[in-house]
């Protein structure tokens, strides 16, 4: 492989060109390596020029140089202790016991237990549990997230409100709409039962409320108040 003459001028001044040819700069193509046969090895000394020492390495040290660049890793086995396993399994565990409504009537649901074990981070599935304060019924849901958690998150926050509003009588819908018009506080519709790790989008709450209000306004327009039957 030809080399520019500027590369060898400092080496010639230091009487090192013969040593470079004698020890042969070991390159990747062995047939290109050159060695001098007419210069006695006993007359050579190897003191490479600092500027070119990194380009030329003795042939006898090349094997150690290449071996030093190899990295080997040994697979390590890690085992979880039973307390660690239990802490992972119970991280998203939630239990709720339904109290009596008025001290006399007992709920048809005594309680519920739910848990989440994420297979990815963040978890894409969602769960929701809430009590309808107007009917005292309970809503429970598990929402599977496909290709992300955006859809399951929105449904877990919004669906129960639409179901609860659909169960409200016409008079109650009118009261809610009048309260919003006059700027009065609204009575809560749902009592949520959420685990501390369950996510709730506060940024989209205003958008969700405006959409829900449009829905109950449509219910008011469709229902004249003559029929007391609830049609979900």
């Amino acid at each position: 492989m030809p080399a520019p003459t500027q590369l060898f001028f400092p080496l010639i001044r230091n009487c090192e060109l013969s040593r470079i040819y004698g020890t042969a700069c070991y390159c990747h193509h062995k047939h290109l390596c050159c060695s001098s046969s007419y210069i006695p090895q006993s007359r050579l000394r190897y003191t490479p020029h600092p500027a070119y020492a990194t380009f030329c390495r003795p042939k006898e040290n090349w094997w150690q140089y290449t071996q030093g660049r190899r990295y080997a890793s040994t697979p390590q086995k890690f085992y979880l202790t039973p307390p660690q396993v239990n802490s992972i399994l119970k991280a998203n565990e939630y239990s709720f016991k339904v109290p009596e409504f008025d001290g006399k009537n007992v709920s048809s649901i005594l309680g519920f237990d739910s848990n989440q074990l994420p297979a990815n981070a963040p978890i894409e599935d969602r769960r929701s549990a809430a009590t309808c304060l107007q009917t005292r019924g309970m809503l429970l849901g598990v929402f599977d997230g496909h290709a992300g958690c955006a859809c399951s998150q929105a449904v877990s926050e919004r669906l129960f409100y639409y179901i609860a509003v659909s169960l409200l009588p016409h008079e109650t819908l009118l009261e809610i709409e009048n309260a919003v018009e006059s700027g009065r506080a609204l009575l809560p519709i749902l009592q949520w039962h959420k685990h501390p790790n369950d996510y709730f989008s506060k940024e989209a709450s205003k958008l969700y409320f405006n959409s829900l209000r449009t829905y109950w306004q449509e219910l008011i327009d469709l229902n004249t108040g003559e029929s007391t039957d609830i049609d979900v």
Side-chain angles (χ1 to χ4, degrees):
M1 181 176 183
T5 56
Q6 296 89 337
L7 178 64
F8 295 104
F9 284 160
L11 303 180
I12 294 175
R13 289 196 298 268
N14 293 332
C15 301
E16 296 170 358
L17 182 60
S18 59
R19 179 56 180 172
I20 292 175
Y21 278 92
T23 56
C25 295
Y26 199 81
C27 29
H28 294 291
H29 304 284
K30 194 172 183 180
H31 64 278
L32 296 178
C33 297
C34 47
S35 60
S36 175
S37 58
Y38 58 88
I39 301 179
Q41 296 294 325
S42 58
R43 296 176 56 189
L44 302 177
R45 59 186 182 88
Y46 181 61
T47 53
H49 191 277
Y52 302 99
T54 58
F55 294 95
C56 302
R57 295 184 179 275
K59 186 187 300 185
E60 59 270 20
N61 296 333
W62 181 258
W63 177 252
Q64 290 85 349
Y65 175 75
T66 56
Q67 290 296 315
R69 302 288 294 182
R70 295 181 180 179
Y71 301 94
S73 59
T74 302
Q76 300 292 332
K77 294 182 179 180
F78 299 95
Y79 298 96
L80 296 176
T81 62
Q84 291 174 328
V85 174
N86 290 333
S87 64
I88 295 175
L89 295 178
K90 295 183 178 182
N92 298 316
E93 191 179 70
Y94 182 78
S95 299
F96 179 76
K97 302 301 179 183
V98 179
E100 296 181 1
F101 293 148
D102 53 8
K104 298 179 181 179
N105 299 322
V106 180
S107 171
S108 59
I109 298 177
L110 299 179
F112 68 90
D113 301 281
S114 67
N115 197 2
Q116 283 183 326
L117 183 62
N120 48 12
I123 186 172
E124 297 178 348
D125 303 334
R126 292 294 185 266
R127 60 181 171 182
S128 291
T131 300
C132 293
L133 297 179
Q134 302 294 330
T135 62
R136 295 298 182 179
M138 292 199 67
L139 297 172
L140 305 170
V142 175
F143 309 96
D144 194 2
H146 294 277
C149 61
C151 181
S152 58
Q153 178 65 38
V155 174
S156 67
E157 294 185 38
R158 305 178 67 180
L159 178 61
F160 287 0
Y161 279 112
Y162 287 84
I163 297 176
V165 167
S166 300
L167 297 174
L168 295 178
H170 181 73
E171 294 76 11
T172 305
L173 293 177
L174 289 176
E175 292 177 2
I176 294 176
E177 177 61 24
N178 293 333
V180 175
E181 284 288 344
S182 59
R184 292 184 285 111
L186 292 176
L187 294 177
I189 301 176
L190 295 175
Q191 178 187 356
W192 291 95
H193 310 293
K194 286 186 174 292
H195 188 275
N197 292 342
D198 292 344
Y199 176 74
F200 185 79
S201 177
K202 295 181 180 180
E203 296 79 5
S205 58
K206 185 177 180 180
L207 175 65
Y208 294 166
F209 178 79
N210 293 334
S211 177
L212 181 63
R213 184 185 180 186
T214 302
Y215 176 69
W216 78 53
Q217 288 174 344
E218 293 175 353
L219 292 180
I220 293 175
D221 295 338
L222 292 175
N223 190 356
T224 60
E226 298 177 356
S227 175
T228 57
D229 297 334
I230 298 177
D231 184 13
V232 179

